């Protein structure tokens, strides 16, 4: 565990790759939540 912590936070490259993964996860989850919100609040089409 100490090896992985040193690898991720001991160098700038490891820290930036962890931040990239975290920010990408936040962006994707925000877009998914917005999509679900828009689908749930969309008006239902009238049956013809």
């Amino acid at each position: 565990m100490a090896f992985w912590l040193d690898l991720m936070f001991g160098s700038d490259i490891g820290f930036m790759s962890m931040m990239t993964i975290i920010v990408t996860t936040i962006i994707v989850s925000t877009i998914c939540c917005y999509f679900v919100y828009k689908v749930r609040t969309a008006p239902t089409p009238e049956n013809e």
Side-chain angles (χ1 to χ4, degrees), residues 4-34:
W4 287 106
L5 287 174
D6 185 47
L7 185 64
M8 290 187 291
F9 300 109
S11 64
D12 292 337
I13 301 297
F15 179 72
M16 288 306 293
S17 40
M18 284 303 295
M19 292 308 296
T20 302
I21 292 169
I22 291 169
V23 169
T24 303
T25 305
I26 291 170
I27 291 172
V28 168
S29 63
T30 303
I31 292 171
C32 288
C33 289
Y34 181 70

